[in-house]
Each structure stands twice: as structure tokens, then as C-alpha cells.
Amino acid sequence: MKKKWLTSKNGLEKTFTFKNFSEALAFVIRVGLESEKENHHPDILIQWNKVHLTLISHDAGDKITNKDLKLAEEIDALLKK
């Protein structure tokens, strides 16, 4: 079962789990590149094989916007490539 993005007071949040640190770090780099294309950047926490992402639009008063939803879809698509 695919984990969904959760809505919290901090924004859209999701934790991804990988086999090891190298895979987690490679995913973060791909997220960073995609974020640059969208000019919308997540908060990222890396803990060995886990990557926790939080998406929120600070320029919209710390609210979840279409930019966050679009980036969440793009991030999920990175795992399918």
C-alpha cells in the first residue's frame, strides 16, 4: 500500500524509507533538482534510511497551495522512474 501525504499544521508531510543512507541521499538530490525546476522547496529531514519531507507555501501565509500539491505529485513520480 502506497503511503499518502498527510496534512498537518506544518503542511503536507510524508516519510520515505529506503534500503540505506546512499539511496535516501540520492532521492533527496532528485527531490532537490525537481524542486529547483518548480522553484518551490521542501523542508527535508534525513535520518539514515528515512527522508521526511514537508511542503508548505510560506509566501502564501504558511498555507498548503497548488504549488505544494503539484510538487508532492512530482516527488511521488520520482519513485516510479
Side-chain angles (χ1 to χ4, degrees):
M1 184 170 134
K2 182 178 152 186
K3 276 177 82 175
K4 294 184 179 189
W5 289 85
L6 302 176
T7 303
S8 77
K9 65 179 182 163
N10 299 321
L12 288 178
E13 298 187 67
K14 189 171 183 179
T15 300
F16 299 83
T17 303
F18 299 91
K19 290 181 193 172
N20 53 48
F21 181 77
S22 294
E23 286 188 10
L25 188 58
F27 174 69
V28 167
I29 291 168
R30 292 171 68 201
V31 167
L33 294 171
E34 191 63 39
S35 298
E36 279 296 301
K37 282 192 234 173
E38 300 294 329
N39 194 28
H40 192 57
H41 306 91
D43 292 334
I44 301 171
L45 174 65
I46 304 171
Q47 296 176 306
W48 190 64
N49 69 331
K50 291 182 177 28
V51 175
H52 184 82
L53 301 176
T54 304
L55 306 175
I56 194 154
S57 294
H58 299 292
D59 60 347
D62 292 331
K63 297 196 183 333
I64 297 169
T65 66
N66 285 337
K67 288 168 88 175
D68 303 300
L69 298 171
K70 182 179 179 193
L71 184 56
E73 288 178 12
E74 295 295 328
I75 290 169
D76 284 339
L78 292 174
L79 296 173
K80 296 175 185 173
K81 294 179 181 178

